[in-house]
Amino acid sequence: MARRSTGCIGIEFDASGIACAQAEFADGQWNARLDRYMQHPAASDASSESQPVTAAMLPVASTDLLMLTAGANTPSVKCVLPMELCDLRVMYLPEAPPEEMRLLVQRELESGGMRDPLFDFWTIPVEYSTHHNLVPVNAIIGNPYAIGQVVSLFGDGGFSLNAIDTIPTASARAVNIYREAKRRLDPPACHEDEYSLLNIVGTGSNSDAAAAIAVHAGWYGCTYTLVTHGIPMLARVPVRNGLRSLVQPLASLLGMPQSDVLRMMRGLSRNLPVRASDRLLRTLVESCRNWAVNIAEEILKTIAYSSRPGFRIVPSEIIVIGPGSIVPGIAEILELEVNIESFVWKICSSPDSAEGSSDINMVPMVWGESAVALALSASQEIQ
């Protein structure tokens, strides 16, 4: 009998919507068992003057989660919060074992005035440090109110919350998944521009060695993560250029709801039939190009940071994930502006993944909106 194991349910919260995915490991490979996305009409049509406050960032009820996760065969969940609800700190500390390092990070945060901080951290190899005999440490502090919201939300829905991850670390895992799938591409399995989701359990393959910049485009802002050897070496969170800065002016210009603009962009990016006049399409294409040029400028700034003494890392590709991955033509525009190969994250499962299976949830394609959610699901060890 074929051995099967499912990951937990992976969920990404963003002001524009919720991504939900579950990965299944069977016959030596992972496949997407579940993949759903729920757009938040109330959030996406909010006033352009609205700010990323905690109460507005999670406009979701436990019943929404139950609908999204219908068909999942586990109540275990991992989730990630938008970076608007987190604070990223970079510090340099002496080398120490993980538990001791956690105490050092906590003391450093508390010395800066934080009381009982809720945080996670990861270390960068000491050879990339610009400070002698000190380890670079990235710490992300979560908003306690938002974390309390999430815990209550999952508890009310009967879910078991295993972990709350961060965008940079989840983005690094999404890059690893994409690269492993690309490296093990079986030409007959997919169309030319699609990648098989095969054998992605490990994160230490040679495909992880080359550096990439993962551009996670959320509603309020973008997170730029430099990934190499499966590690988020550098993360930047500029205070502008989220998907909102494209959609809201475009909706006003076209005289249509923001939710309709999002649906239209999603359809165009996935080569679905979209009814639109030539004038409307020209306006949309020009707006998308201008927005993507701003993203390219931030990528160039990230490259300037990554190539400085100490790091000296130059990325070989750019991978766009998250809600903003639906922007039509974004990869082509970034590649033209930055002169680095650019891709929108998308993966197709093995065509044999559901053969002989009674699982009606098995999905053939996972898009960039669900990259982080799938990464969360596939990140746990196989038991």
Side-chain angles (χ1 to χ4, degrees):
M1 184 175 180
R3 180 191 175 206
R4 291 181 178 271
S5 178
T6 52
C8 63
I9 303 167
I11 291 181
E12 178 186 357
F13 291 103
D14 186 76
S16 61
I18 306 176
C20 171
Q22 185 178 33
E24 180 177 83
F25 186 81
D27 299 326
Q29 67 184 44
W30 283 99
N31 290 286
R33 182 180 182 276
L34 187 72
D35 174 30
R36 297 193 182 110
Y37 188 85
M38 184 183 76
Q39 185 172 297
H40 288 322
S44 56
D45 287 333
S47 165
S48 60
E49 301 301 319
S50 63
Q51 298 298 318
V53 295
T54 57
M57 289 304 299
L58 303 175
V60 59
S62 57
T63 51
D64 296 323
L65 291 180
L66 290 171
M67 291 176 62
L68 277 170
T69 59
N73 59 0
T74 174
S76 299
V77 174
K78 286 184 180 178
C79 74
V80 66
L81 296 178
M83 286 301 292
E84 291 77 33
L85 300 182
C86 304
D87 185 17
L88 175 64
R89 302 284 182 88
V90 180
M91 54 191 73
Y92 294 86
L93 299 171
E95 283 192 86
E99 286 307 312
E100 186 177 338
M101 182 64 78
R102 177 168 290 276
L103 290 175
L104 291 175
V105 172
Q106 181 170 344
R107 288 169 187 164
E108 188 77 10
L109 294 175
E110 289 175 343
S111 68
M114 291 189 180
R115 182 177 178 182
D116 298 326
L118 298 173
F119 69 94
D120 198 4
F121 73 95
W122 70 94
T123 58
I124 306 300
V126 68
E127 58 264 30
Y128 292 100
S129 178
T130 55
H131 294 63
H132 185 60
N133 290 332
L134 294 177
V135 177
V137 180
N138 290 273
I140 293 190
I141 306 95
N143 181 290
Y145 174 75
I147 292 175
Q149 268 193 313
V150 168
V151 171
S152 297
L153 181 66
F154 285 119
D156 292 343
F159 296 94
S160 173
L161 180 59
N162 286 1
I164 300 177
D165 206 348
T166 69
I167 290 292
T169 49
S171 295
R173 176 63 184 173
V175 168
N176 295 341
I177 288 175
Y178 180 85
R179 285 181 157 181
E180 276 296 311
K182 185 176 179 180
R183 186 173 70 88
R184 299 177 185 274
L185 177 65
D186 180 9
C190 301
H191 296 297
E192 183 179 355
D193 62 342
E194 298 168 2
Y195 302 131
S196 294
L197 183 56
L198 304 174
N199 299 321
I200 59 174
V201 260
T203 58
S205 69
N206 291 334
S207 63
D208 294 332
I213 291 180
V215 179
H216 179 278
W219 181 248
Y220 284 106
C222 296
T223 302
Y224 303 82
T225 305
L226 177 72
V227 180
T228 185
H229 296 289
I231 302 171
M233 303 291 290
L234 171 70
R236 294 185 60 246
V237 192
V239 195
R240 62 188 181 98
N241 289 349
L243 184 58
R244 179 182 70 158
S245 65
L246 165 64
V247 174
Q248 287 183 337
L250 185 56
S252 178
L253 188 62
L254 297 176
M256 58 194 301
Q258 295 168 37
S259 52
D260 287 350
V261 172
L262 288 168
R263 279 189 283 269
M264 183 170 60
M265 290 197 301
R266 187 177 291 109
L268 290 171
S269 67
R270 299 180 184 181
N271 294 319
L272 299 175
V274 173
R275 292 186 178 180
S277 67
D278 290 343
R279 173 188 163 277
L280 187 151
L281 289 176
R282 283 195 300 270
T283 302
L284 185 143
V285 168
E286 183 63 20
S287 296
C288 290
R289 190 192 70 80
N290 292 336
W291 180 78
V293 166
N294 290 328
I295 300 297
E297 291 176 0
E298 293 297 344
I299 291 173
L300 290 172
K301 290 178 183 178
T302 303
I303 294 172
Y305 279 107
S306 70
S307 58
R308 73 188 191 277
F311 268 72
R312 298 192 185 281
I313 300 173
V314 178
S316 61
E317 61 184 348
I318 297 161
I319 302 170
V320 183
I321 63 177
S325 63
I326 67 171
V327 175
I330 184 171
E332 292 80 2
I333 299 167
L334 293 181
E335 186 164 325
L336 182 65
E337 293 292 324
V338 184
N339 198 28
I340 295 176
E341 275 194 301
S342 302
F343 307 93
V344 171
W345 195 104
K346 61 176 179 179
I347 292 175
C348 75
S349 295
S350 164
D352 300 323
S353 60
E355 188 174 317
S357 172
S358 60
D359 189 351
I360 61 173
N361 292 309
M362 195 70 73
V363 293
M365 174 66 77
V366 185
W367 300 90
E369 286 176 295
S370 298
V372 163
L374 187 71
L376 293 173
S377 179
S379 64
Q380 59 193 41
E381 295 292 330
I382 302 299
Q383 300 299 323

